[in-house]
Amino acid sequence: MFPFGPGSPGGERAAGAGAEEPAPHARQGGAAGPLPSPPPSLQPGADAAPPPSPCGSPRRPCAPSQPQAGRAGELRPPGALESSAASAQGEQSPPSPPRRQPGPDCRAGSRGRHCLSARLGGPGARLFGWLRERSLGRGLFVDPARDNFRTMTNLYGSIHPADSVYLSTRTHGAVFNLEYSPDGSVLTVACEQTEVLLFDPISSKHIKTLSEAHEDCVNNIRFLDNRLFATCSDDTTIALWDLRKLNSKVCTLHGHTSWVKNIEYDTNTRLLVTSGFDGNVIIWDTNRCTEDGCPHKKFFHTRFLMRMRLTPDCSKMLISTSSGYLLILHDLDLTKSLEVGSYPILRARRTTSSSGISPRNSLEVLTPEVPGERDRGNCITSLQLHPKGWATLLRCSSNTDDQEWTCVYEFQEGAPVRPVSPRCSLRLTHYIEEANVGRGYIKELCFSPDGRMISSPHGYGIRLLGFDKQCSELIDCLPKEASPLRVIRSLYSHNDVVLTTKFSPTHCQIASGCLSGRVSLYQPKF
């Protein structure tokens, strides 16, 4: 049986693996045992990457520190290198033979000299390198943030718990989800006791409390733009809100038959996508929204559904389950519904068309590799995606509830690895074991806006994790075999188990919320 019980006093309670509907039971908070004392706080910037040297900037090449015999890619006549070496030692070198002026008979070799120049690092190699970086979405003019990541790493490394701003939620219950508006001007908090809180993250001031946003626990919040946002709840409904008029809802959406746990939004088609413990993924057309609701349809159904996410380009949908399976819908088309109800049918649909091209909404079923869980089942409790769509981030818990892992899986495109499946999309690249406290509750982790760091709940605090100590891009430090994530900084500021954390999309700020209802904001120390 899946150990997470939906009856615990709060929203983030997982469905049982052996039932179609979740059965309530008491929270297993006491089984966690005493929590070890937090480790001593790190010195500011202790583990941060050093600032980049001027020579590391792509804008200005480094000046050579020693005389060079010749620039890379420059061809010299025979005896030139020997002449340079002899001159450096103070010896008189014999005169070089006169150079022959190029004529028509040697023009045919110009292409060969150009290729040699490219191999030695000449203009051809530089042009090729620039085109390659541009095709990968990198480079100074394509992605300027790449040149500033060391500065951001130093800023995040200077965050100290003493600099945290505490936003007490008093009697609002546990904090289940945190969400910033796209412009970073509003921080919303989903609470256990039917309420939604709104704060100004810059001034740390309370803006508004939606005291009766729902009739049960509020589980998730998603912004559609800078003013509209949606909330979902255990009362089986979704509510739309407008920041300009918070006295009443824009509308309430009815369609799920059990707890609604997840909200996604396709900005291209303006379709709202929700999932719940009833196993349904439902599409809502916000283009035709009225006070009575939005037109909707059931898009997908499967048992033991936990979380659902869309990639940033909305080309894939990922669904995690309490039974350890991860479902991936490729070449996503939200206008077509899939009526699928069991895993044997899902596996049977993993085929390509006669033309050799996978059809729209082609489905792949995976059992992600988890360290330490090779011989035991596990539950995928939390699911996030890299902001550039390169990887997926999972929080996995063993069925015996004695281990918890954070894992990063790279998306692999191309030839199939297994002949049974048209695709094998995920490869485990990084992992780390978690504290495994607060059993029975889901811990929501997240990527930083640039995808270089991960913020993960860890006991009574959070940990900032990187793919290496320099917080490099994932594609720049992909290991041949799975390797541990690096702990960049540990922050402990709560007096209860942290359930959720979030990076600000625009400022160097992190928010975290815990089981006792406290929200902490972390900012650099200047």
Side-chain angles (χ1 to χ4, degrees):
M1 291 292 291
F2 170 52
F4 290 85
S8 55
E12 298 306 309
R13 299 154 296 187
E20 191 69 31
E21 295 293 336
H25 72 277
R27 179 170 74 91
Q28 304 174 12
L35 183 72
S37 58
S41 60
L42 302 176
Q43 296 297 326
D47 293 330
S53 63
C55 294
S57 174
R59 303 179 185 177
R60 182 177 55 193
C62 299
S65 58
Q66 297 179 357
Q68 298 180 355
R71 292 178 298 174
E74 180 181 357
L75 296 178
R76 293 197 173 192
L81 296 180
E82 292 81 1
S83 175
S84 300
S87 299
Q89 298 176 2
E91 301 179 3
Q92 185 175 3
S93 59
S96 303
R99 298 180 60 182
R100 189 179 68 172
Q101 296 297 327
D105 57 322
C106 64
R107 290 175 184 171
S110 61
R111 181 179 301 177
R113 287 198 299 271
H114 175 74
C115 294
L116 178 59
S117 175
R119 293 174 186 172
L120 296 177
R126 290 194 293 271
L127 178 60
F128 175 78
W130 179 81
L131 289 174
R132 181 178 181 274
E133 296 289 302
R134 188 175 184 272
S135 66
L136 293 175
R138 299 157 56 180
L140 175 62
F141 300 102
V142 180
D143 188 5
R146 287 180 57 86
D147 300 322
N148 303 321
F149 75 94
R150 287 189 178 90
T151 301
M152 296 301 295
T153 302
N154 286 334
L155 287 174
Y156 283 118
S158 66
I159 291 178
H160 194 274
D163 303 325
S164 300
V165 180
Y166 301 110
L167 306 176
S168 176
T169 55
R170 300 183 183 88
T171 60
H172 305 301
V175 175
F176 289 151
N177 186 242
L178 298 166
E179 185 72 13
Y180 284 88
S181 61
D183 59 3
S185 63
V186 177
L187 172 64
T188 56
V189 182
C191 300
E192 177 185 11
Q193 301 297 333
T194 75
E195 297 182 345
V196 174
L197 306 178
L198 290 88
F199 290 94
D200 180 354
I202 307 302
S203 63
S204 304
K205 292 183 179 180
H206 176 259
I207 299 175
K208 180 77 173 180
T209 297
L210 307 179
S211 57
E212 295 183 358
H214 288 274
E215 297 178 358
D216 207 333
C217 307
V218 185
N219 297 319
N220 191 242
I221 302 175
R222 174 69 61 180
F223 273 86
L224 282 60
D225 51 36
N226 285 324
R227 60 182 181 85
L228 291 174
F229 66 95
T231 60
C232 64
S233 169
D234 283 359
D235 65 4
T236 74
T237 67
I238 301 98
L240 295 182
W241 304 84
D242 192 329
L243 287 176
R244 300 169 299 181
K245 186 181 178 182
L246 291 172
N247 294 329
S248 61
K249 304 175 186 178
V250 175
C251 64
T252 301
L253 309 180
H254 300 270
H256 285 278
T257 58
S258 186
W259 303 344
V260 188
K261 292 295 184 180
N262 198 196
I263 304 175
E264 291 288 289
Y265 184 64
D266 184 350
T267 56
N268 298 321
T269 60
R270 297 189 63 185
L271 295 177
L272 198 69
V273 189
T274 61
S275 66
F277 278 178
D278 56 3
N280 292 327
V281 177
I282 297 181
I283 308 295
W284 310 82
D285 188 358
T286 60
N287 298 291
R288 296 184 290 167
C289 186
T290 65
E291 294 182 356
D292 298 327
C294 300
H296 67 278
K297 66 175 181 178
K298 184 189 297 185
F299 175 74
F300 188 79
H301 176 83
T302 185
R303 295 185 297 169
F304 317 131
L305 189 152
M306 288 290 296
R307 288 291 185 269
M308 173 272 307
R309 300 289 180 192
L310 299 178
T311 54
D313 60 358
C314 296
S315 63
K316 298 182 182 68
M317 176 186 289
L318 280 74
I319 300 174
S320 65
T321 66
S322 60
S323 55
Y325 288 103
L326 184 66
L327 314 181
I328 305 179
L329 287 167
H330 297 273
D331 303 316
L332 188 65
D333 184 358
L334 294 176
T335 62
K336 298 180 180 179
S337 298
L338 298 176
E339 298 295 336
V340 181
S342 64
Y343 289 121
I345 299 178
L346 297 181
R347 290 194 182 96
R349 292 173 65 96
R350 290 189 301 173
T351 56
T352 56
S353 62
S354 57
S355 61
I357 302 176
S358 297
R360 300 299 297 271
N361 295 330
S362 60
L363 186 62
E364 179 182 11
V365 182
L366 297 174
T367 304
E369 176 187 356
V370 179
E373 296 295 323
R374 301 178 189 274
D375 300 326
R376 295 183 296 171
N378 62 84
C379 171
I380 305 173
T381 58
S382 181
L383 170 65
Q384 297 290 339
L385 288 170
H386 191 280
K388 297 182 180 179
W390 294 339
T392 182
L393 178 65
L394 304 183
R395 188 75 171 251
C396 303
S397 176
S398 64
N399 282 344
T400 55
D401 208 16
D402 60 346
Q403 282 185 317
E404 197 171 20
W405 297 84
T406 291
C407 301
V408 179
Y409 299 86
E410 174 203 11
F411 281 112
Q412 297 185 111
E413 302 292 344
V417 178
R418 297 172 299 181
V420 179
S421 173
R423 303 173 190 253
C424 185
S425 298
L426 297 182
R427 180 179 73 92
L428 177 65
T429 60
H430 297 83
Y431 62 90
I432 194 169
E433 189 170 4
E434 297 291 356
N436 193 31
V437 296
R439 300 176 183 178
Y441 286 92
I442 295 174
K443 291 89 177 180
E444 295 285 359
L445 64 177
C446 65
F447 278 107
S448 62
D450 59 3
R452 295 180 183 271
M453 283 195 288
I454 297 167
S455 181
S456 176
H458 187 259
Y460 289 1
I462 62 175
R463 291 193 299 187
L464 300 183
L465 309 173
F467 305 116
D468 60 12
K469 283 294 185 181
Q470 290 74 37
C471 295
S472 302
E473 290 271 22
L474 175 62
I475 60 173
D476 293 335
C477 58
L478 280 174
K480 294 182 179 179
E481 297 182 354
S483 62
L485 289 165
R486 305 289 183 172
V487 179
I488 305 301
R489 191 151 184 83
S490 299
L491 304 169
Y492 297 91
S493 61
H494 290 271
N495 57 5
D496 210 334
V497 178
V498 175
L499 301 181
T500 182
T501 178
K502 193 73 175 181
F503 281 92
S504 169
T506 56
H507 301 85
C508 186
Q509 186 181 81
I510 308 172
S512 62
C514 70
L515 189 58
S516 62
R518 170 167 287 182
V519 177
S520 294
L521 296 180
Y522 307 93
Q523 299 179 134
K525 181 180 181 180
F526 297 103

mmCIF file of all heavy atoms in Angstrom, residues 239-270:
data_model
loop_
_atom_site.group_PDB
_atom_site.id
_atom_site.type_symbol
_atom_site.label_atom_id
_atom_site.label_comp_id
_atom_site.label_asym_id
_atom_site.label_seq_id
_atom_site.Cartn_x
_atom_site.Cartn_y
_atom_site.Cartn_z
ATOM 1 N N ALA A 239 -10.879 27.896 -8.841
ATOM 2 C CA ALA A 239 -11.390 29.268 -8.815
ATOM 3 C C ALA A 239 -10.444 30.181 -9.573
ATOM 4 O O ALA A 239 -9.220 30.040 -9.481
ATOM 5 C CB ALA A 239 -11.558 29.763 -7.382
ATOM 6 N N LEU A 240 -10.999 31.118 -10.344
ATOM 7 C CA LEU A 240 -10.229 32.131 -11.053
ATOM 8 C C LEU A 240 -10.377 33.457 -10.322
ATOM 9 O O LEU A 240 -11.485 33.830 -9.913
ATOM 10 C CB LEU A 240 -10.708 32.267 -12.501
ATOM 11 C CG LEU A 240 -10.502 31.060 -13.420
ATOM 12 C CD1 LEU A 240 -10.991 31.376 -14.824
ATOM 13 C CD2 LEU A 240 -9.044 30.641 -13.444
ATOM 14 N N TRP A 241 -9.258 34.200 -10.186
ATOM 15 C CA TRP A 241 -9.216 35.453 -9.444
ATOM 16 C C TRP A 241 -8.539 36.519 -10.291
ATOM 17 O O TRP A 241 -7.694 36.226 -11.131
ATOM 18 C CB TRP A 241 -8.452 35.291 -8.131
ATOM 19 C CG TRP A 241 -8.972 34.209 -7.228
ATOM 20 C CD1 TRP A 241 -8.672 32.875 -7.275
ATOM 21 C CD2 TRP A 241 -9.889 34.366 -6.155
ATOM 22 N NE1 TRP A 241 -9.344 32.197 -6.300
ATOM 23 C CE2 TRP A 241 -10.101 33.087 -5.583
ATOM 24 C CE3 TRP A 241 -10.555 35.459 -5.604
ATOM 25 C CZ2 TRP A 241 -10.938 32.883 -4.499
ATOM 26 C CZ3 TRP A 241 -11.388 35.251 -4.524
ATOM 27 C CH2 TRP A 241 -11.581 33.981 -3.983
ATOM 28 N N ASP A 242 -8.914 37.777 -10.003
ATOM 29 C CA ASP A 242 -8.312 38.936 -10.648
ATOM 30 C C ASP A 242 -7.729 39.825 -9.560
ATOM 31 O O ASP A 242 -8.432 40.220 -8.624
ATOM 32 C CB ASP A 242 -9.362 39.712 -11.449
ATOM 33 C CG ASP A 242 -8.750 40.749 -12.378
ATOM 34 O OD1 ASP A 242 -7.678 41.295 -12.032
ATOM 35 O OD2 ASP A 242 -9.326 41.012 -13.447
ATOM 36 N N LEU A 243 -6.415 40.132 -9.661
ATOM 37 C CA LEU A 243 -5.768 40.951 -8.631
ATOM 38 C C LEU A 243 -6.391 42.334 -8.512
ATOM 39 O O LEU A 243 -6.275 42.982 -7.461
ATOM 40 C CB LEU A 243 -4.277 41.093 -8.952
ATOM 41 C CG LEU A 243 -3.399 39.855 -8.737
ATOM 42 C CD1 LEU A 243 -1.979 40.140 -9.200
ATOM 43 C CD2 LEU A 243 -3.409 39.431 -7.274
ATOM 44 N N ARG A 244 -7.051 42.803 -9.547
ATOM 45 C CA ARG A 244 -7.662 44.126 -9.497
ATOM 46 C C ARG A 244 -9.005 44.119 -8.781
ATOM 47 O O ARG A 244 -9.522 45.201 -8.445
ATOM 48 C CB ARG A 244 -7.856 44.652 -10.928
ATOM 49 C CG ARG A 244 -6.552 44.779 -11.714
ATOM 50 C CD ARG A 244 -6.802 45.038 -13.184
ATOM 51 N NE ARG A 244 -7.557 43.947 -13.795
ATOM 52 C CZ ARG A 244 -7.896 43.926 -15.083
ATOM 53 N NH1 ARG A 244 -7.547 44.933 -15.873
ATOM 54 N NH2 ARG A 244 -8.570 42.900 -15.578
ATOM 55 N N LYS A 245 -9.565 42.923 -8.555
ATOM 56 C CA LYS A 245 -10.865 42.833 -7.888
ATOM 57 C C LYS A 245 -10.894 41.529 -7.101
ATOM 58 O O LYS A 245 -11.424 40.513 -7.556
ATOM 59 C CB LYS A 245 -12.004 42.874 -8.910
ATOM 60 C CG LYS A 245 -13.387 42.939 -8.287
ATOM 61 C CD LYS A 245 -14.463 42.960 -9.358
ATOM 62 C CE LYS A 245 -15.855 42.985 -8.731
ATOM 63 N NZ LYS A 245 -16.927 42.964 -9.751
ATOM 64 N N LEU A 246 -10.328 41.583 -5.894
ATOM 65 C CA LEU A 246 -10.188 40.380 -5.079
ATOM 66 C C LEU A 246 -11.363 40.149 -4.135
ATOM 67 O O LEU A 246 -11.356 39.183 -3.368
ATOM 68 C CB LEU A 246 -8.892 40.468 -4.251
ATOM 69 C CG LEU A 246 -7.588 40.379 -5.061
ATOM 70 C CD1 LEU A 246 -6.398 40.678 -4.173
ATOM 71 C CD2 LEU A 246 -7.454 39.006 -5.698
ATOM 72 N N ASN A 247 -12.366 41.006 -4.178
ATOM 73 C CA ASN A 247 -13.519 40.820 -3.289
ATOM 74 C C ASN A 247 -14.379 39.630 -3.691
ATOM 75 O O ASN A 247 -15.145 39.107 -2.876
ATOM 76 C CB ASN A 247 -14.378 42.093 -3.255
ATOM 77 C CG ASN A 247 -13.645 43.266 -2.620
ATOM 78 O OD1 ASN A 247 -12.816 43.060 -1.730
ATOM 79 N ND2 ASN A 247 -13.925 44.465 -3.078
ATOM 80 N N SER A 248 -14.265 39.209 -4.939
ATOM 81 C CA SER A 248 -15.065 38.083 -5.411
ATOM 82 C C SER A 248 -14.293 37.339 -6.485
ATOM 83 O O SER A 248 -13.375 37.890 -7.115
ATOM 84 C CB SER A 248 -16.423 38.546 -5.953
ATOM 85 O OG SER A 248 -16.231 39.418 -7.061
ATOM 86 N N LYS A 249 -14.667 36.087 -6.715
ATOM 87 C CA LYS A 249 -14.037 35.275 -7.744
ATOM 88 C C LYS A 249 -14.509 35.714 -9.128
ATOM 89 O O LYS A 249 -15.631 36.212 -9.293
ATOM 90 C CB LYS A 249 -14.392 33.806 -7.542
ATOM 91 C CG LYS A 249 -14.040 33.247 -6.183
ATOM 92 C CD LYS A 249 -14.545 31.819 -6.032
ATOM 93 C CE LYS A 249 -14.322 31.300 -4.624
ATOM 94 N NZ LYS A 249 -14.856 29.917 -4.444
ATOM 95 N N VAL A 250 -13.653 35.502 -10.103
ATOM 96 C CA VAL A 250 -14.084 35.698 -11.478
ATOM 97 C C VAL A 250 -15.101 34.623 -11.844
ATOM 98 O O VAL A 250 -16.148 34.905 -12.422
ATOM 99 C CB VAL A 250 -12.870 35.658 -12.435
ATOM 100 C CG1 VAL A 250 -13.331 35.729 -13.881
ATOM 101 C CG2 VAL A 250 -11.912 36.792 -12.117
ATOM 102 N N CYS A 251 -14.787 33.371 -11.505
ATOM 103 C CA CYS A 251 -15.722 32.270 -11.699
ATOM 104 C C CYS A 251 -15.201 31.047 -10.961
ATOM 105 O O CYS A 251 -14.038 31.000 -10.532
ATOM 106 C CB CYS A 251 -15.931 31.942 -13.180
ATOM 107 S SG CYS A 251 -14.460 31.349 -14.016
ATOM 108 N N THR A 252 -16.059 30.046 -10.806
ATOM 109 C CA THR A 252 -15.709 28.774 -10.178
ATOM 110 C C THR A 252 -15.919 27.659 -11.195
ATOM 111 O O THR A 252 -16.956 27.614 -11.870
ATOM 112 C CB THR A 252 -16.569 28.517 -8.932
ATOM 113 O OG1 THR A 252 -16.377 29.585 -7.991
ATOM 114 C CG2 THR A 252 -16.178 27.199 -8.277
ATOM 115 N N LEU A 253 -14.930 26.769 -11.307
ATOM 116 C CA LEU A 253 -14.972 25.700 -12.295
ATOM 117 C C LEU A 253 -15.270 24.379 -11.602
ATOM 118 O O LEU A 253 -14.586 23.998 -10.647
ATOM 119 C CB LEU A 253 -13.639 25.613 -13.043
ATOM 120 C CG LEU A 253 -13.106 26.928 -13.631
ATOM 121 C CD1 LEU A 253 -11.784 26.690 -14.342
ATOM 122 C CD2 LEU A 253 -14.121 27.555 -14.578
ATOM 123 N N HIS A 254 -16.291 23.678 -12.108
ATOM 124 C CA HIS A 254 -16.696 22.377 -11.577
ATOM 125 C C HIS A 254 -16.486 21.313 -12.651
ATOM 126 O O HIS A 254 -16.861 21.508 -13.801
ATOM 127 C CB HIS A 254 -18.168 22.392 -11.148
ATOM 128 C CG HIS A 254 -18.478 23.397 -10.080
ATOM 129 N ND1 HIS A 254 -18.413 23.102 -8.738
ATOM 130 C CD2 HIS A 254 -18.860 24.701 -10.162
ATOM 131 C CE1 HIS A 254 -18.746 24.164 -8.019
ATOM 132 N NE2 HIS A 254 -19.023 25.160 -8.873
ATOM 133 N N GLY A 255 -15.888 20.184 -12.277
ATOM 134 C CA GLY A 255 -15.666 19.111 -13.228
ATOM 135 C C GLY A 255 -14.982 17.904 -12.611
ATOM 136 O O GLY A 255 -15.220 16.776 -13.035
ATOM 137 N N HIS A 256 -14.151 18.140 -11.606
ATOM 138 C CA HIS A 256 -13.479 17.030 -10.916
ATOM 139 C C HIS A 256 -14.417 16.419 -9.874
ATOM 140 O O HIS A 256 -15.339 17.075 -9.368
ATOM 141 C CB HIS A 256 -12.198 17.516 -10.247
ATOM 142 C CG HIS A 256 -11.073 17.754 -11.207
ATOM 143 N ND1 HIS A 256 -10.268 16.742 -11.680
ATOM 144 C CD2 HIS A 256 -10.612 18.905 -11.778
ATOM 145 C CE1 HIS A 256 -9.362 17.244 -12.497
ATOM 146 N NE2 HIS A 256 -9.551 18.561 -12.581
ATOM 147 N N THR A 257 -14.152 15.164 -9.541
ATOM 148 C CA THR A 257 -14.964 14.456 -8.537
ATOM 149 C C THR A 257 -14.170 14.151 -7.269
ATOM 150 O O THR A 257 -14.702 13.534 -6.358
ATOM 151 C CB THR A 257 -15.495 13.137 -9.117
ATOM 152 O OG1 THR A 257 -14.399 12.323 -9.555
ATOM 153 C CG2 THR A 257 -16.422 13.415 -10.307
ATOM 154 N N SER A 258 -12.901 14.564 -7.228
ATOM 155 C CA SER A 258 -12.094 14.377 -6.022
ATOM 156 C C SER A 258 -11.134 15.560 -5.905
ATOM 157 O O SER A 258 -11.230 16.526 -6.665
ATOM 158 C CB SER A 258 -11.325 13.045 -6.086
ATOM 159 O OG SER A 258 -10.649 12.801 -4.857
ATOM 160 N N TRP A 259 -10.235 15.457 -4.952
ATOM 161 C CA TRP A 259 -9.334 16.569 -4.664
ATOM 162 C C TRP A 259 -8.559 16.994 -5.903
ATOM 163 O O TRP A 259 -7.976 16.173 -6.604
ATOM 164 C CB TRP A 259 -8.344 16.173 -3.567
ATOM 165 C CG TRP A 259 -9.001 15.736 -2.296
ATOM 166 C CD1 TRP A 259 -10.294 15.936 -1.926
ATOM 167 C CD2 TRP A 259 -8.380 15.009 -1.242
ATOM 168 N NE1 TRP A 259 -10.530 15.385 -0.701
ATOM 169 C CE2 TRP A 259 -9.366 14.808 -0.251
ATOM 170 C CE3 TRP A 259 -7.106 14.514 -1.032
ATOM 171 C CZ2 TRP A 259 -9.108 14.129 0.925
ATOM 172 C CZ3 TRP A 259 -6.837 13.840 0.144
ATOM 173 C CH2 TRP A 259 -7.837 13.649 1.113
ATOM 174 N N VAL A 260 -8.523 18.296 -6.167
ATOM 175 C CA VAL A 260 -7.768 18.863 -7.284
ATOM 176 C C VAL A 260 -6.414 19.315 -6.746
ATOM 177 O O VAL A 260 -6.342 20.113 -5.819
ATOM 178 C CB VAL A 260 -8.511 20.039 -7.942
ATOM 179 C CG1 VAL A 260 -7.793 20.480 -9.213
ATOM 180 C CG2 VAL A 260 -9.954 19.666 -8.239
ATOM 181 N N LYS A 261 -5.340 18.793 -7.348
ATOM 182 C CA LYS A 261 -4.017 19.001 -6.773
ATOM 183 C C LYS A 261 -3.080 19.821 -7.641
ATOM 184 O O LYS A 261 -2.038 20.254 -7.154
ATOM 185 C CB LYS A 261 -3.357 17.626 -6.520
ATOM 186 C CG LYS A 261 -4.024 16.820 -5.417
ATOM 187 C CD LYS A 261 -3.873 17.518 -4.085
ATOM 188 C CE LYS A 261 -4.440 16.700 -2.938
ATOM 189 N NZ LYS A 261 -4.300 17.371 -1.637
ATOM 190 N N ASN A 262 -3.370 20.026 -8.901
ATOM 191 C CA ASN A 262 -2.373 20.601 -9.799
ATOM 192 C C ASN A 262 -3.034 21.452 -10.882
ATOM 193 O O ASN A 262 -4.093 21.092 -11.399
ATOM 194 C CB ASN A 262 -1.578 19.464 -10.426
ATOM 195 C CG ASN A 262 -0.263 19.904 -11.030
ATOM 196 O OD1 ASN A 262 0.322 19.176 -11.795
ATOM 197 N ND2 ASN A 262 0.201 21.095 -10.717
ATOM 198 N N ILE A 263 -2.403 22.580 -11.224
ATOM 199 C CA ILE A 263 -2.886 23.467 -12.283
ATOM 200 C C ILE A 263 -1.724 23.798 -13.207
ATOM 201 O O ILE A 263 -0.638 24.165 -12.749
ATOM 202 C CB ILE A 263 -3.473 24.777 -11.717
ATOM 203 C CG1 ILE A 263 -4.583 24.496 -10.705
ATOM 204 C CG2 ILE A 263 -4.001 25.664 -12.841
ATOM 205 C CD1 ILE A 263 -5.106 25.746 -10.024
ATOM 206 N N GLU A 264 -1.943 23.670 -14.510
ATOM 207 C CA GLU A 264 -0.989 24.106 -15.527
ATOM 208 C C GLU A 264 -1.722 25.018 -16.511
ATOM 209 O O GLU A 264 -2.951 25.020 -16.582
ATOM 210 C CB GLU A 264 -0.382 22.912 -16.264
ATOM 211 C CG GLU A 264 0.557 22.069 -15.409
ATOM 212 C CD GLU A 264 1.860 22.781 -15.128
ATOM 213 O OE1 GLU A 264 2.677 22.935 -16.059
ATOM 214 O OE2 GLU A 264 2.071 23.207 -13.972
ATOM 215 N N TYR A 265 -0.933 25.778 -17.299
ATOM 216 C CA TYR A 265 -1.547 26.731 -18.227
ATOM 217 C C TYR A 265 -0.728 26.794 -19.509
ATOM 218 O O TYR A 265 0.502 26.951 -19.471
ATOM 219 C CB TYR A 265 -1.626 28.114 -17.588
ATOM 220 C CG TYR A 265 -2.323 29.151 -18.432
ATOM 221 C CD1 TYR A 265 -3.667 29.031 -18.759
ATOM 222 C CD2 TYR A 265 -1.630 30.275 -18.900
ATOM 223 C CE1 TYR A 265 -4.313 29.985 -19.527
ATOM 224 C CE2 TYR A 265 -2.272 31.232 -19.665
ATOM 225 C CZ TYR A 265 -3.614 31.086 -19.971
ATOM 226 O OH TYR A 265 -4.249 32.035 -20.734
ATOM 227 N N ASP A 266 -1.407 26.642 -20.638
ATOM 228 C CA ASP A 266 -0.785 26.761 -21.960
ATOM 229 C C ASP A 266 -1.007 28.189 -22.448
ATOM 230 O O ASP A 266 -2.121 28.575 -22.811
ATOM 231 C CB ASP A 266 -1.413 25.751 -22.930
ATOM 232 C CG ASP A 266 -0.738 25.750 -24.295
ATOM 233 O OD1 ASP A 266 0.081 26.654 -24.553
ATOM 234 O OD2 ASP A 266 -1.020 24.849 -25.100
ATOM 235 N N THR A 267 0.055 28.985 -22.466
ATOM 236 C CA THR A 267 -0.083 30.386 -22.833
ATOM 237 C C THR A 267 -0.380 30.571 -24.313
ATOM 238 O O THR A 267 -0.906 31.613 -24.710
ATOM 239 C CB THR A 267 1.208 31.146 -22.483
ATOM 240 O OG1 THR A 267 2.327 30.509 -23.122
ATOM 241 C CG2 THR A 267 1.438 31.148 -20.974
ATOM 242 N N ASN A 268 -0.052 29.593 -25.137
ATOM 243 C CA ASN A 268 -0.299 29.720 -26.577
ATOM 244 C C ASN A 268 -1.777 29.585 -26.909
ATOM 245 O O ASN A 268 -2.327 30.369 -27.686
ATOM 246 C CB ASN A 268 0.511 28.677 -27.335
ATOM 247 C CG ASN A 268 2.009 28.845 -27.138
ATOM 248 O OD1 ASN A 268 2.507 29.975 -27.094
ATOM 249 N ND2 ASN A 268 2.722 27.746 -27.013
ATOM 250 N N THR A 269 -2.416 28.586 -26.335
ATOM 251 C CA THR A 269 -3.830 28.338 -26.625
ATOM 252 C C THR A 269 -4.751 28.873 -25.534
ATOM 253 O O THR A 269 -5.969 28.836 -25.697
ATOM 254 C CB THR A 269 -4.078 26.824 -26.775
ATOM 255 O OG1 THR A 269 -3.712 26.165 -25.549
ATOM 256 C CG2 THR A 269 -3.231 26.259 -27.904
ATOM 257 N N ARG A 270 -4.171 29.346 -24.421
ATOM 258 C CA ARG A 270 -4.934 29.841 -23.271
ATOM 259 C C ARG A 270 -5.872 28.762 -22.727
ATOM 260 O O ARG A 270 -7.008 29.025 -22.335
ATOM 261 C CB ARG A 270 -5.721 31.102 -23.648
ATOM 262 C CG ARG A 270 -4.849 32.270 -24.040
ATOM 263 C CD ARG A 270 -5.658 33.544 -24.187
ATOM 264 N NE ARG A 270 -6.265 33.920 -22.912
ATOM 265 C CZ ARG A 270 -7.112 34.954 -22.765
ATOM 266 N NH1 ARG A 270 -7.451 35.677 -23.820
ATOM 267 N NH2 ARG A 270 -7.623 35.224 -21.587
#
